[in-house]
Amino acid sequence: MNLPRTATTFAPPVMEARRWLDGVTHPADRPLINVSQAAPVDPPPPALRQAMADAALTKDDAHLYGPVLGMPALRDALAAQISTHYEATVTGDHVAITSGCNQAFAAAIATLCAEGDEVILPTPWYFNHKMWLDMSGVTSVALRTGDDLLPDVETARALITPRTRAIALVTPNNPGGVEYPAELVRAFYDLARDAGIALMVDETYRDFDSRTGAPHALFQQDGWQDTFIHLYSFSKAYRLTGHRVGALAASPARLAEVEKFLDTVAICPGQIGQYAALWGLENLSQWVAGERDEILARRAAIASGFDVLAAKGWRLLGLGAYFAYMEHPFAASSADLAPQLVREAGILCLPGTMFCPTGDVSGQRQLRIAFANLDVAGIAEFYHRLSGLDLPR
């Protein structure tokens, strides 16, 4: 008997982790440190919330169905931003707006894959990508990364088969935090182009990349849209997680196929969220720059304070965007350690086993720390609690 689609994959990891909190109390002077989810906990800035309220009150179309591929003004504005940021020429007919970046990934996969096809994912992988491939009947082919958490092009080349349809990268990476060098991204583009497959690059966290200028040159390549599919999210930059506004950039021909998928899933992205994203693109560039500076300061605090854990046998494997990816020194698998940290240290984080294939023992020593909602004092307290753990090794 064939399984229903949802039975082919695992439970949502963040929801699973939240269940570890059931029955656990934390004293007022030692509250829970929640570093499990990469989402801003603060609402959008007041000016943006006011713009959203104004749209709700004054724009009748904010409450109606809109174009399936998104508001034309937003598509054009994002295309203009991409063109500036990547020093390229991208137009609105290359852009679709989606209900979050996960939906952008799902839509792109629907245009690429049939049941039994394959997509190469570097590991540790972003679990929602793996879940969607499972539910689509698509095989996730694990591309194990090295100690630097960067994938190797030649190793990927050896994994390509006649059923391979795409390679999916995430940079800055979730869960590892690492920023893929421009030359590495270009090498994967060349590999995908030569193999006749797609290169999907999820750049949800590009607004918090520590590098200045374009993080890669893919949009500058002649015929980029024949190989490259760019995924993006407005959720982190403008704190719009609850409004689900994402995007993808690809060829107009692919977007015609994307339209079929989106029309049957959500009909159109939420209108008020789109108005918010458009207002943000037009008005919040300096505010986003300040948000980036703050995230980079917190990243620096993670790096500078890590010595206290290094002295206890921990390793910092990756750091960037919202994430620190750490190797712990304890005998227990991270699958058991992470729930134990809730009870013994008041810390909620995700184990590396949630980002690796079953049987990949490397995940048993790893933890993902989503540090973006910790200020410098919170990071110091986080380190204090971890360094005080006395567990078997």
Side-chain angles (χ1 to χ4, degrees):
M1 178 179 176
N2 291 331
L3 292 173
R5 292 299 193 186
T6 56
T8 63
T9 197
F10 41 86
V14 171
M15 299 300 103
E16 183 72 14
R18 287 183 183 177
R19 286 188 272 274
W20 302 338
L21 299 174
D22 293 347
V24 180
T25 59
H26 303 281
D29 62 347
R30 198 170 187 258
L32 177 73
I33 295 176
N34 188 345
V35 286
S36 65
Q37 189 171 23
V41 296
D42 294 322
L48 179 53
R49 282 184 277 171
Q50 184 61 57
M52 296 166 73
D54 292 343
L57 288 170
T58 66
K59 298 185 183 296
D60 291 349
D61 65 351
H63 308 284
L64 306 176
Y65 288 144
V68 173
L69 292 180
M71 185 185 299
L74 179 56
R75 296 173 66 189
D76 289 342
L78 181 57
Q81 189 202 57
I82 290 171
S83 297
T84 298
H85 189 64
Y86 294 89
E87 301 174 0
T89 301
V90 178
T91 61
D93 63 352
H94 293 118
V95 172
I97 306 301
T98 59
S99 298
C101 193
N102 275 357
Q103 190 184 78
F105 178 85
I109 291 298
T111 73
L112 289 165
C113 297
E115 190 160 357
D117 284 341
E118 300 170 354
V119 172
I120 296 172
L121 299 181
T123 61
W125 52 37
Y126 174 42
F127 47 69
N128 282 157
H129 287 175
K130 165 64 171 164
M131 292 173 72
W132 183 255
L133 294 176
D134 289 346
M135 290 187 286
S136 300
V138 177
T139 299
S140 301
V141 177
L143 170 60
R144 188 164 180 177
T145 56
D147 285 345
D148 56 5
L149 299 184
L150 295 175
D152 178 72
V153 172
E154 292 309 311
T155 304
R157 188 187 307 276
L159 296 176
I160 294 174
T161 76
R163 298 307 300 264
T164 305
R165 297 294 175 260
I167 301 169
L169 308 180
V170 183
T171 179
N173 187 253
N174 178 6
V178 293
E179 299 166 352
Y180 287 13
E183 58 271 20
L184 179 63
V185 177
R186 174 60 190 273
F188 269 98
Y189 172 87
D190 291 343
L191 171 62
R193 181 199 57 207
D194 294 347
I197 62 177
L199 176 66
M200 305 171 64
V201 185
D202 183 333
E203 299 185 68
T204 291
Y205 300 95
R206 72 167 168 81
D207 297 291
F208 307 101
D209 197 307
S210 67
R211 300 165 292 185
T212 58
H216 59 72
L218 302 195
F219 281 111
Q220 299 171 12
Q221 307 310 306
D222 290 339
W224 65 265
Q225 62 268 34
D226 297 329
T227 300
F228 175 39
I229 301 174
H230 166 78
L231 308 179
Y232 179 65
S233 172
F234 295 94
S235 294
K236 311 306 189 286
Y238 305 132
R239 303 179 186 165
L240 291 172
T241 52
H243 292 278
R244 313 309 306 126
V245 193
L248 74 158
S251 69
R254 186 171 303 283
L255 294 190
E257 298 302 302
V258 164
E259 188 175 43
K260 300 176 187 178
F261 179 89
L262 297 179
D263 185 57
T264 59
V265 173
I267 299 181
C268 66
Q271 298 286 70
I272 291 177
Q274 289 188 85
Y275 273 114
L278 178 59
W279 195 91
L281 284 171
E282 293 174 342
N283 296 280
L284 290 181
S285 60
Q286 289 303 310
W287 182 85
V288 171
E291 292 287 285
R292 174 179 177 271
D293 289 344
E294 179 60 30
I295 292 297
L296 293 180
R298 297 178 187 192
R299 169 181 170 168
I302 288 283
S304 64
F306 191 76
D307 286 350
V308 69
L309 292 188
K312 302 281 188 175
W314 292 70
R315 293 177 62 211
L316 183 60
L317 303 178
L319 178 63
Y322 276 35
F323 306 107
Y325 204 68
M326 300 181 178
E327 182 182 277
H328 68 80
F330 306 116
S333 168
S334 60
D336 299 316
L337 176 64
Q340 188 175 1
L341 290 178
V342 173
R343 302 186 299 271
E344 298 192 13
I347 292 172
L348 179 64
C349 64
L350 299 188
T353 51
M354 289 181 168
F355 303 95
C356 294
T358 301
D360 184 343
V361 297
S362 64
Q364 297 176 14
R365 296 291 303 278
Q366 298 165 353
L367 297 169
R368 188 192 78 171
I369 310 301
F371 66 80
N373 290 313
L374 294 181
D375 58 18
V376 172
I379 291 168
E381 175 63 16
F382 169 77
Y383 278 149
H384 173 71
R385 295 188 194 183
L386 286 184
S387 64
L389 289 171
D390 184 17
L391 300 173
R393 297 172 182 247

